[in-house]
Amino acid sequence: MFLLLIISALIIGASLGLLGAGGSILTVPVLLFIMGLDEKQAIASSFIIIALISSVGGLKSLHQRMLNIKTLLWFALASFPLSAIGAYLGAIMPDGFQTQILIIVMFIAAAVMLSKRKPQPGREVKVKYILVAGCVSGLITGLVGVGGGFIIVPALVIFAGLSMSFATATSLALVTVNAVAAFAGLLITNELPVIDWTVVIGMSVTGALAVIGGRGFAAKLPDKIIKKGFAILLLMIAVITQVMIFI
């Protein structure tokens, strides 16, 4: 079980480092079905794991001067409060609802990654669309414990005019913001469940090492192949998660 946890954390961290998205969406299924946590524990734990892993990638991006600070602030302005609200709404939902929403989100994320459309960076920052994307990614993060990077990266490319490399780098910082806000929402509303810190620290440390490696390879590996492979993995996990619920 510990070996599976380490392998899962490596995949999560590497994906976040390479794409600025995708890896965090695997965290909840790993915590549910490999570590045996209940739904509320898995989602709350994922906020901490996602925040720690993404923050390491975000700091590396900052060191590389690849963060677009102005766009990051606009996006964070919208996503931060919605992440906290989403976390509270998720905490009071009946058991099973959040996992079903997560499965739908996984299918959508896979479809986005498999899309053949290649968004071209724009010339003008469209703030209103950035704010909308920030609200959506924040709400999804809070509800089901994912980072929202699969929404953030395309939005940064299309509406903020960032290159793919700058979009993935900035996404890591925004995923951190979303996860921290969601965790804070649970903490403030006294809806935080018991956290298994051994699992959280183990996944976070392993994932943090992987995200550093992922950032190093981000410019060297074919983006198309990485996205396609990860999309297929997402589809498989979504189907397996749905089957496990019915069993």
Side-chain angles (χ1 to χ4, degrees):
M1 183 178 292
F2 181 74
L3 180 60
L4 287 174
L5 175 68
I6 296 300
I7 293 172
S8 301
L10 287 172
I11 294 172
I12 290 166
S15 175
L16 280 167
L18 286 166
L19 300 174
S24 56
I25 209 169
L26 300 178
T27 308
V28 174
V30 168
L31 294 173
L32 281 173
F33 302 121
I34 295 179
M35 301 314 300
L37 303 187
D38 65 37
E39 185 181 61
K40 305 300 182 186
Q41 285 180 309
I43 290 173
S45 298
S46 74
F47 295 144
I48 307 171
I49 294 167
I50 293 166
L52 291 173
I53 294 175
S54 299
S55 65
V56 172
L59 288 172
K60 186 172 178 62
S61 298
L62 179 62
H63 179 71
Q64 295 172 327
R65 301 187 180 215
M66 295 187 69
L67 293 183
N68 187 296
I69 303 299
K70 182 179 178 180
T71 302
L72 189 153
L73 291 175
W74 277 116
F75 214 106
L77 180 68
S79 66
F80 194 91
L82 267 295
S83 295
I85 292 170
Y88 175 71
L89 292 175
I92 62 176
M93 281 182 177
D95 290 341
F97 272 56
Q98 288 168 285
T99 304
Q100 287 295 337
I101 295 172
L102 175 63
I103 291 169
I104 294 171
V105 170
M106 291 176 80
F107 278 117
I108 294 173
V112 170
M113 290 186 175
L114 286 172
S115 174
K116 294 182 179 180
R117 181 185 173 188
K118 296 181 179 179
Q120 298 296 320
R123 295 180 180 178
E124 180 183 351
V125 176
K126 300 177 181 178
V127 175
K128 63 180 179 180
Y129 295 119
I130 292 175
L131 293 175
V132 171
C135 288
V136 173
S137 69
L139 186 62
I140 290 175
T141 295
L143 278 175
V144 296
V146 303
F150 69 95
I151 295 172
I152 296 171
V153 172
L156 292 176
V157 173
I158 297 171
F159 303 129
L162 301 187
S163 66
M164 192 65 184
S165 58
F166 270 80
T168 55
T170 305
S171 174
L172 287 170
L174 289 168
V175 167
T176 304
V177 169
N178 285 353
V180 169
F183 184 79
L186 291 180
L187 201 59
I188 292 170
T189 57
N190 293 318
E191 295 290 347
L192 186 67
V194 176
I195 302 295
D196 187 333
W197 289 103
T198 302
V199 172
V200 168
I201 293 172
M203 286 193 71
S204 299
V205 171
T206 306
L209 293 174
V211 80
I212 293 173
R215 289 305 303 154
F217 282 105
K220 300 177 182 178
L221 297 179
D223 182 61
K224 182 178 179 181
I225 294 176
I226 298 169
K227 289 175 67 177
K228 185 176 181 180
F230 195 82
I232 293 171
L233 178 62
L234 271 183
L235 289 173
M236 290 172 59
I237 293 176
V239 171
I240 292 170
T241 302
Q242 187 67 75
V243 170
M244 293 291 288
I245 291 173
F246 285 134
I247 294 177

